[in-house]
């Protein structure tokens, strides 16, 4: 598969301007819970203290793993299905819908008081061949709209927010949409069509645009998405939120991530960190990401893309908050602290970052 066309590619890290010694991080035990939100000992409850959520991607096939499900239900109050709501699973052939795998996750969430983020309705990847081979615009429009309506109807009242369109913008310097069957057959208007259809299908659901490598404000891709959202808001196209996937290299978020979140929020949309993972899971890099969200009032929640390192799509990079055995990693404590939570020993850890918080992020070729 071509990473360039298919999505984020881990491990292509921009050269860091920060020396490795300068980036050294110490997590020290502090003495007091500093604010009104500080009496919470899990990620979900700590995030809830400021009205936010803390979520994770979940694979239906792992729900029977008791270590996995115990962590899931203890720590997380929002769930994104990692693959189960994607088109290749939900409509593998035209008009034949399969919601079984995703239903297992939604039922789990209902039973444990977790909210759901639907991921994703329109995406060029994990798209069955019968869709990508359509060449007639009327047929594709009808197929796309029916897919959106049928999936949203099935989960009406059970999914808080949908990634209506995922990764529609191109990498590199164009700031334009990427090539896809939707773009190539329907033209630029396909995103608007998808959002309008989604609003009509479930007026109560939040409708999000979701993408990666849009965290750095000055990047052409970020600007392209920003201009689209600004245009949608100006013309009354229904968009409620923007998801920043945040698949970061070892340095974590770009320095201007908070600015990016804030600038999008100023357009009148909520923003969320939707697929967070960071190569090697530096506590500082995680804390910087969480702080960027915490400092923006309309940043309503964060989701990590998996629970244990062994659950991650980034095999070998150990990018998550729990190790393969299910034990908390140092990044866990840093995240809990940044959320305003309290650690297991009753203290709030302080993250000392001698790098000044400057981050590095990975990019594509
Ligand atoms: O289900 C089949 C299984 O039947 C088969 O035996 C196996 C053999 O390879 O493949 C299984 O499918 C895999 C699927 O995950 C489920 O495990 C696919 O090969 C594999 O490509 C797929 O990877 C997913 C990837 O999206 C595909 O694009 C990752 O799990 C998932 O974490 C990742 O998530 C994406 C987000 O949706 C969008 N943003 C980027 C993010 C990371 O790529």
């Amino acid at each position: 598969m071509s990473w360039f066309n298919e999505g984020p590619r881990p491990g292509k890290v921009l050269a860091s301007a920060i020396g490795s010694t300068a980036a050294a991080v110490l997590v020290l035990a502090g003495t007091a819970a500093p604010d009104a939100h500080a009496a919470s000992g899990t990620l979900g409850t700590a995030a809830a203290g400021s009205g936010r959520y803390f979520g994770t991607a979940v694979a239906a096939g792992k729900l029977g793993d008791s270590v996995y499900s115990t962590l899931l239900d203890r720590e997380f109050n929002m769930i994104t299905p990692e693959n189960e709501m994607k088109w290749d699973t939900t409509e593998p052939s035209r008009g034949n819908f399969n919601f079984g795998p995703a239903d297992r996750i939604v039922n789990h969430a209902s039973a444990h008081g977790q909210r759901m983020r639907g991921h994703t309705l329109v995406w060029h990847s994990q798209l069955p061949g019968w869709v990508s081979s359509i060449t007639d615009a009327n047929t594709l429009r009808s197929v796309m709209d029916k897919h959106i309506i049928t999936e949203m109807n099935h989960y009406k009242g059970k999914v808080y927010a949908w990634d209506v369109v995922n990764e529609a913008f191109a990498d590199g310097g164009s700031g334009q949409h990427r090539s896809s069957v939707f773009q190539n057959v329907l033209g630029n208007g396909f995103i608007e069509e998808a959002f309008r259809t989604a609003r009509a299908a479930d007026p109560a659901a939040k409708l999000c645009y979701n993408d990666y490598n849009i965290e750095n404000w000055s990047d052409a891709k970020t600007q392209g998405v920003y201009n689209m959202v600004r245009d949608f808001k100006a013309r009354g196209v229904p968009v409620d939120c923007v998801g920043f996937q945040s698949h970061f290299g070892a340095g974590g978020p770009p320095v201007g991530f908070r600015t990016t979140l804030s600038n999008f929020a100023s357009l009148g949309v909520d923003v969320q960190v939707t697929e967070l993972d960071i190569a090697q899971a530096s506590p500082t890099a995680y804390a910087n990401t969480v702080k960027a969200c915490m400092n923006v009032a309309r940043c309503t929640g964060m989701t990590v893309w998996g629970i244990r390192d062994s659950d991650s799509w980034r095999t070998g990079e150990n990018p998550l908050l729990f190790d393969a055995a299910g034990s908390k990693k140092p990044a866990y404590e840093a995240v809990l602290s940044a959320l305003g939570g309290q650690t297991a020993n009753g203290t709030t850890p302080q993250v000392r970052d001698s790098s000044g918080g400057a981050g590095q992020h990975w990019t594509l070729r």
Side-chain angles (χ1 to χ4, degrees):
M1 124 173 144
S2 158
W3 285 104
F4 187 85
N5 289 326
E6 296 294 337
R9 181 186 186 192
K12 290 287 284 184
V13 180
L14 290 178
S16 172
I18 310 158
S20 57
T21 50
V25 174
L26 296 174
V27 178
L28 302 176
T31 52
D35 61 45
H37 306 310
S40 305
T42 72
L43 301 171
T45 52
S50 66
R52 294 177 172 82
Y53 67 80
F54 203 93
T56 182
V58 162
K62 292 178 180 165
L63 289 172
D65 172 340
S66 63
V67 174
Y68 183 87
S69 58
T70 298
L71 291 172
L72 170 61
D73 300 335
R74 189 185 75 204
E75 299 286 346
F76 301 98
N77 51 20
M78 179 74 81
I79 290 176
T80 306
E82 188 172 2
N83 289 296
E84 292 78 355
M85 287 186 174
K86 295 171 180 175
W87 201 316
D88 59 355
T89 296
T90 55
E91 195 184 3
S93 61
R94 186 170 178 177
N96 292 317
F97 288 87
N98 167 33
F99 295 118
D103 284 353
R104 290 174 58 196
I105 298 177
V106 173
N107 290 341
H108 183 101
S110 300
H112 296 87
Q114 294 142 328
R115 287 189 291 167
M116 292 293 309
R117 187 183 183 97
H119 175 79
T120 175
L121 295 167
V122 178
W123 187 27
H124 65 277
S125 186
Q126 288 177 280
L127 188 65
W130 71 266
V131 181
S132 47
S133 61
I134 294 172
T135 55
D136 174 67
N138 285 332
T139 304
L140 184 58
R141 185 176 299 108
S142 153
V143 159
M144 184 181 82
D145 289 349
K146 183 179 178 188
H147 183 79
I148 292 169
I149 291 164
T150 306
E151 188 160 349
M152 290 186 75
N153 271 340
H154 184 79
Y155 291 113
K156 202 175 254 186
K158 297 178 178 172
V159 169
Y160 155 79
W162 281 97
D163 291 334
V164 177
V165 176
N166 191 47
E167 302 178 4
F169 277 74
D171 300 302
S174 76
Q176 303 296 310
H177 297 174
R178 73 168 66 236
S179 173
S180 73
V181 67
F182 303 108
Q183 177 67 28
N184 301 344
V185 175
L186 297 179
N188 280 334
F190 87 88
I191 304 178
E192 175 172 348
E193 166 91 13
F195 275 87
R196 289 192 185 281
T197 301
R199 180 66 96 222
D202 184 357
K206 299 280 188 191
L207 307 182
C208 309
Y209 177 79
N210 193 54
D211 215 328
Y212 66 91
N213 275 0
I214 58 168
E215 294 83 12
N216 190 40
W217 175 243
S218 61
D219 286 354
K221 189 171 175 181
T222 309
Q223 293 296 307
V225 175
Y226 179 83
N227 289 334
M228 176 191 74
V229 175
R230 185 173 57 183
D231 171 58
F232 278 14
K233 296 303 282 188
R235 292 192 296 110
V237 180
V239 59
D240 304 310
C241 32
V242 176
F244 297 79
Q245 293 185 10
S246 305
H247 295 293
F248 292 132
V255 176
F257 188 29
R258 175 185 169 181
T259 300
T260 303
L261 294 173
S262 176
N263 287 347
F264 273 84
S266 294
L267 293 175
V269 288
D270 289 338
V271 292
Q272 294 102 15
V273 173
T274 51
E275 302 183 15
L276 178 62
D277 49 21
I278 303 178
Q280 312 313 327
S282 141
T284 305
Y286 261 103
N288 287 343
T289 308
V290 172
K291 285 177 194 166
C293 179
M294 295 292 282
N295 281 321
V296 175
R298 291 198 73 158
C299 185
T300 58
M302 291 146 270
T303 292
V304 286
W305 206 240
I307 299 177
R308 302 162 300 191
D309 286 334
S310 50
D311 303 315
S312 173
W313 69 296
R314 300 172 72 174
T315 309
E317 292 187 277
N318 298 322
L320 296 175
L321 301 179
F322 295 89
D323 67 19
S327 297
K328 296 171 182 173
K329 295 165 61 180
Y332 173 95
E333 308 294 348
V335 168
L336 188 60
S337 173
L339 290 170
Q342 195 171 43
T343 57
N345 63 4
T347 61
T348 300
Q350 299 165 352
V351 177
R352 180 180 295 166
D353 172 14
S354 56
S355 76
Q360 54 184 333
H361 71 131
W362 55 268
T363 187
L364 301 174
R365 281 179 295 192

